[in-house]
Amino acid sequence: MQALGLDVLFKGSNLLRLLGGLWKALEISLIAVALSLILGVLFGILMTFRNPVIRALSRIYLEIVRIMPQMVLLFLVFFGTTRVFGWDLNAEAASVIVFAFWGTAEMGDLVRGAVISVPKHQYESAFALGMTKSQTYFTIIIPQAIRQLIPLSINLITRMIKTTSLVMMIGVVEVLKVSQQIIEANRMTSPNAAFGIYLTVFVLYFIACWPFSILAKHLERKWSN
Amino acid sequence: MDWNVISKSIPLYWDAMLLTLKIGWIGVALATLIGLVSAVVIHFRIPVLSVIFKIYIEIFRNTPLLIQLFFLYFALPKIGIKISAEVCGWLGLGLLGGSYMSEAFRSGIEAIDIVQRESALSLGMTDFQVMIHVILPQALSYSTPAFVANIIFLLKETSVFSAISLMDLMFRAKDLIGLYYNTAEYLVLLVVFYLIILLPVSILGTVLERRLRYASFGT
């Protein structure tokens, strides 16, 4: 235990502090996930419109999000907008804005893909049976689109949880920052703390994301036919 | 916007970009290699190896690169394994990317009709020949969209390298902002240089996707 630096975990409330830090990161990602799911569905429906202006704008938005690293977006919002517009934005709010901005684009693209993936003959057959437009959408198209959408959006959620580890770089005190504090504080008494603590953080993140991955894979397989 | 500041810092950003590109592309190459090997191993259900690769994929797909880098760079030295920051960078990127690439290639291999394999076998080809000459060429063109998306993802992920004190673009920008406080200029440069890195890949991906559709020919 001593050699691997795992003993530090059980000193004082270190383990609790680590979990508190993880919760901070999860909290940010969950708020961002909730926002992106709602806004993403709206954005996705917007993207299926044939209006050229809407199409071009949503395409540009999507490309920006696809190409710019999330770190750059975080820097732009946290350092850039605060300097240029002179407002006061705390790091957590900046993170939520960035991750919601990113998640909305990704979610929107998934929704668009799911709606488009429903073959044309499904619409045509429904109309041929005398269904109205809203009946077709609510009883034929949306249920099929959702089946394709849910596993993919669960994957997006795990990606968002993983990416929130970046917020440490703009000064949010989350699990990595807490780890650094614990390691620094115990430098003399247990010099190997870095190994034990970072291993624990690694495992904690795995535990936070793995169930989602399993669920997504399970649903994908269940609904694949 | 102070153009003087911008023109003066372009060389600094250029050097940082070269480092980002170097580590990024070594990482992508490593990821492709790991991805191909593990996809083939898992496809053939090679005992022991395929289980190891599956565990590896689950672990690296479900943890952030930042945490992996911290583990490689700060934790491993404590048990006597010292790796330089640069090696940590591309090794971390390669391991993370390998798990994503593996999934991409595997879905490509699985998309190939079993008839292809059976026909090739009946022509007297060995398992290895079938893989190299028949399955992989088709599977790779199926996997191209996911493959390119993964490359973009990996090149974007290089932005976390500054956390293990590699002098990449992020590091440079943060450093200069801290020194001179010309936030707007340095952030604009940051965006421009990331565009230089990523825009060509994104465009190439779109072109490739269009040209490689021949895999679905006749279906």
Side-chain angles (χ1 to χ4, degrees):
Chain A
M1 291 281 262
Q2 181 82 43
L4 293 179
L6 285 166
D7 52 320
V8 184
L9 280 179
F10 305 104
K11 278 186 194 156
S13 54
N14 283 348
L15 188 60
L16 273 179
R17 281 180 66 198
L18 270 185
L19 288 173
L22 183 70
W23 174 244
K24 185 97 233 167
L26 285 180
E27 204 183 356
I28 291 174
S29 45
L30 290 181
I31 297 173
V33 162
L35 284 173
S36 350
L37 289 183
I38 300 165
L39 296 174
V41 170
L42 296 177
F43 178 56
I45 294 170
L46 205 64
M47 274 204 291
T48 55
F49 289 173
R50 296 233 166 79
N51 184 322
V53 179
I54 292 178
R55 278 202 127 157
L57 286 180
S58 53
R59 183 89 213 154
I60 291 171
Y61 170 36
L62 195 62
E63 280 300 311
I64 291 175
V65 172
R66 281 276 160 82
I67 287 187
M68 275 300 119
Q70 286 85 11
M71 273 285 280
V72 176
L73 295 177
L74 276 176
F75 267 53
L76 284 178
V77 172
F78 187 60
F79 296 118
T81 64
T82 45
R83 181 76 201 280
V84 174
F85 303 125
W87 60 40
D88 191 18
L89 193 65
N90 67 27
E92 278 127 67
S95 320
V96 170
I97 293 174
V98 167
F99 289 114
F101 178 76
W102 168 57
T104 301
E106 295 277 355
M107 185 66 197
D109 198 39
L110 295 182
V111 170
R112 186 192 62 98
V115 171
I116 285 180
S117 76
V118 178
K120 212 175 161 198
H121 62 77
Q122 296 280 340
Y123 293 85
E124 286 162 356
S125 323
F127 290 142
L129 285 171
M131 286 175 140
T132 63
K133 209 162 186 183
S134 69
Q135 279 177 325
T136 311
Y137 269 98
F138 283 107
T139 58
I140 309 284
I141 307 302
I142 291 177
Q144 293 188 66
I146 282 180
R147 278 192 166 196
Q148 202 196 339
L149 188 61
I150 287 180
L152 295 175
S153 36
I154 295 174
N155 277 332
L156 179 64
I157 294 174
T158 58
R159 272 172 64 204
M160 291 182 75
I161 293 176
K162 282 185 290 177
T163 317
T164 39
S165 59
L166 299 182
V167 297
M168 169 245 191
M169 308 283 275
I170 58 166
V172 178
V173 182
E174 46 69 84
V175 64
L176 270 180
K177 207 77 199 174
V178 174
S179 313
Q180 286 178 334
Q181 291 168 353
I182 294 176
I183 292 163
E184 284 300 316
N186 295 285
R187 172 135 288 177
M188 292 304 162
T189 47
S190 49
N192 284 344
F195 185 82
I197 298 286
Y198 287 137
L199 183 69
T200 312
V201 175
F202 198 99
V203 174
L204 284 178
Y205 258 102
F206 183 74
I207 294 172
C209 295
W210 200 46
F212 285 109
S213 303
I214 298 274
L215 181 65
K217 216 173 243 175
H218 171 75
L219 290 179
E220 214 168 323
R221 211 166 290 159
K222 192 174 153 198
W223 287 336
S224 64
N225 30 20
Chain B
M1 196 65 58
D2 187 345
W3 294 105
N4 209 8
V5 172
I6 290 190
S7 66
K8 247 202 248 162
S9 23
I10 284 180
L12 290 173
Y13 272 84
W14 183 262
D15 288 343
M17 185 188 72
L18 292 183
L19 184 77
T20 297
L21 275 178
K22 182 178 145 203
I23 301 176
W25 283 105
I26 295 177
V28 167
L30 184 66
T32 310
L33 189 72
I34 296 177
L36 264 183
V37 171
S38 63
V40 172
V41 164
I42 291 175
H43 178 73
F44 282 121
R45 296 200 181 87
I46 296 173
V48 187
L49 267 185
S50 69
V51 174
I52 292 174
F53 273 117
K54 270 183 184 162
I55 294 173
Y56 148 74
I57 289 171
E58 287 300 323
I59 289 177
F60 278 84
R61 271 183 78 92
N62 289 302
T63 45
L65 179 62
L66 189 60
I67 312 286
Q68 294 164 12
L69 288 180
F70 264 66
F71 186 75
L72 287 175
Y73 190 66
F74 295 114
L76 285 186
K78 300 291 176 198
I79 54 165
I81 305 168
K82 280 204 174 67
I83 313 173
S84 77
E86 220 179 294
V87 177
C88 269
W90 57 254
L91 188 64
L93 202 62
L95 286 172
L96 172 85
S99 65
Y100 280 84
M101 292 291 189
S102 172
E103 301 275 294
F105 292 138
R106 207 153 49 92
S107 64
I109 292 176
E110 275 163 16
I112 306 302
D113 208 328
I114 191 106
V115 172
Q116 297 276 336
R117 196 183 129 74
E118 287 165 354
S119 324
L121 284 177
S122 72
L123 286 171
M125 286 174 138
T126 64
D127 256 336
F128 183 72
Q129 283 173 325
V130 174
M131 201 67 204
I132 296 292
H133 297 293
V134 181
I135 307 288
L136 274 185
Q138 299 184 73
L140 289 185
S141 70
Y142 264 114
S143 315
T144 303
F147 178 63
V148 176
N150 281 342
I151 292 180
I152 294 176
F153 162 71
L154 288 176
L155 291 178
K156 276 165 67 176
E157 286 283 303
T158 57
S159 59
V160 308
F161 286 165
S162 56
I164 54 167
S165 57
L166 274 170
M167 308 261 235
D168 74 335
L169 284 170
M170 274 331 282
F171 189 93
R172 184 63 74 196
K174 207 175 179 177
D175 202 29
L176 289 173
I177 291 172
L179 277 175
Y180 303 112
Y181 206 50
N182 287 316
T183 314
E185 286 85 354
Y186 294 131
L187 285 179
V188 168
L189 276 175
L190 182 67
V191 169
V192 169
F193 273 90
Y194 266 111
L195 282 181
I196 297 177
I197 293 179
L198 286 159
L199 211 50
V201 185
S202 172
I203 294 170
L204 188 76
T206 319
V207 175
L208 268 183
E209 235 174 89
R210 253 180 234 150
R211 300 199 62 183
L212 283 173
R213 290 254 167 85
Y214 65 73
S216 49
F217 182 79
T219 57

